[in-house]
Amino acid sequence: MVNNDCNTEGKGFCGDCCTRLQDVCVTLQGHQILLNVNLHIHCGQLAVIIGPNGAGKTTLLRAMLNELPFTGKIKFSSIDGRSGRDFRIGYVPQRLDIDAFSPMTVLDLFAASLSKKPLWLGVSSKIRQEAGKILCAVEADSLINQRVGSLSGGQLQRVLLALALTPVPDLLLLDEPVSGVDPSGIELFYRMVSNLRNTYHLAIVMISHDISTTARYADRMLFLNRSVICDDKPQVTLRHPDVIGTFGRFSLSDSDELPSP
């Protein structure tokens, strides 16, 4: 079952800004990775993409970032009329290789992003305040003076999430963002992501292998295997025969609700 129209029952949907993919195909080195992908995602929605290895999940995000050639159409529009290149997209990769001995701090990382001045000239109080504010939103404000290379996997992903929100995007793309994160940090990360869609009124598309956990937070769950096989509420998607055939059965019920923040 594929439902490409947006479900606007959840909190935070306005219906005036969206990301729309129409018949998107990607072929690399003669091998077709994606075939006729159709999606329509509004701000305030958290859409989780699941699928087997090699299904094209990361390829889809890279096409949306315009990092790969594709056919079809990808259209972005915002509530204030911004579209195309003016549409802001934030991105958090699976991992980022950081030199463990680098002296760069979290504040330096934000200063490099927010300011055009060389870091050796110092960081202004305004930059520090902006960085502290967005780090606070992901419960990472205490990390502002720590060296990036000393951060744990979960801490680094929260910092990268904050960086992806600077400035606040219209669309946030997360590619298996808890890869390498310890179990205690996984639930925290998903809870923060869920809160961000309402706090900043943005659309979030996340690839995840933590199916049972993300199903409790997602508005929509998409099963992708070259094409979108199913796009519906998690309770519906997880009962699709192709999903059961790939991942087995899940115990999630229609009465399951989001965990308390």
Side-chain angles (χ1 to χ4, degrees):
M1 179 178 181
V2 178
N3 177 13
N4 289 315
D5 290 326
C6 294
N7 177 357
T8 57
E9 296 175 356
K11 179 181 178 182
F13 303 108
C14 72
D16 292 325
C17 45
C18 70
T19 299
R20 184 187 293 271
L21 282 70
Q22 297 177 318
D23 297 323
V24 171
C25 301
V26 174
T27 301
L28 300 175
Q29 297 180 342
H31 180 60
Q32 189 160 58
I33 310 295
L34 296 175
L35 175 64
N36 296 333
V37 172
N38 292 279
L39 292 176
H40 188 186
I41 302 167
H42 277 300
C43 53
Q45 283 192 321
L46 171 55
V48 172
I49 300 176
I50 63 174
N53 292 333
K57 301 184 295 295
T58 296
T59 297
L60 178 61
L61 295 197
R62 292 186 65 193
M64 294 171 72
L65 290 166
N66 202 30
E67 291 183 350
L68 290 175
F70 63 88
T71 59
K73 296 181 180 179
I74 300 180
K75 298 180 180 179
F76 305 106
S77 61
S78 67
I79 193 170
D80 56 5
R82 285 178 293 103
S83 61
R85 293 182 179 179
D86 295 326
F87 191 88
R88 294 189 293 264
I89 302 177
Y91 174 62
V92 177
Q94 292 183 29
R95 62 183 180 275
L96 185 65
D97 293 327
I98 298 290
D99 182 356
F101 300 101
S102 170
M104 175 175 282
T105 67
V106 171
L107 179 59
D108 291 336
L109 192 62
F110 276 83
S113 174
L114 295 171
S115 175
K116 295 181 180 179
K117 295 193 306 181
L119 288 177
W120 57 266
L121 290 177
V123 180
S124 68
S125 58
K126 180 180 179 182
I127 295 295
R128 177 178 285 274
Q129 290 176 356
E130 289 184 31
K133 182 179 179 181
I134 200 69
L135 285 166
C136 187
V138 298
E139 301 180 32
D141 50 309
S142 63
L143 305 176
I144 193 168
N145 293 316
Q146 287 197 31
R147 287 189 308 106
V148 176
S150 70
L151 301 178
S152 68
Q155 289 173 333
L156 178 58
Q157 288 304 95
R158 278 187 281 155
V159 168
L160 293 179
L161 177 60
L163 198 61
L165 295 170
T166 311
V168 176
D170 302 292
L171 172 66
L172 179 62
L173 303 179
L174 308 175
D175 189 356
E176 296 184 44
V178 295
S179 177
V181 177
D182 60 272
S184 63
I186 290 176
E187 190 82 30
L188 171 62
F189 190 92
Y190 288 143
R191 175 168 57 83
M192 288 188 302
V193 168
S194 178
N195 290 337
L196 288 172
R197 62 182 161 175
N198 293 322
T199 302
Y200 295 103
H201 204 62
L202 47 81
I204 302 175
V205 177
M206 177 168 61
I207 296 172
S208 178
H209 288 295
D210 300 292
I211 298 174
S212 295
T213 305
T214 54
R216 294 188 287 122
Y217 291 97
D219 298 297
R220 298 162 61 182
M221 183 166 277
L222 292 70
F223 180 68
L224 179 73
N225 195 357
R226 294 179 62 232
S227 298
V228 177
I229 307 301
C230 183
D231 175 4
D232 216 310
K233 294 180 179 179
Q235 295 89 341
V236 176
T237 297
L238 294 182
R239 293 193 180 113
H240 191 280
D242 287 2
V243 175
I244 294 173
T246 302
F247 299 110
R249 294 184 180 274
F250 293 85
S251 60
L252 190 70
S253 68
D254 288 327
S255 61
D256 284 339
E257 297 178 354
L258 298 180
S260 300

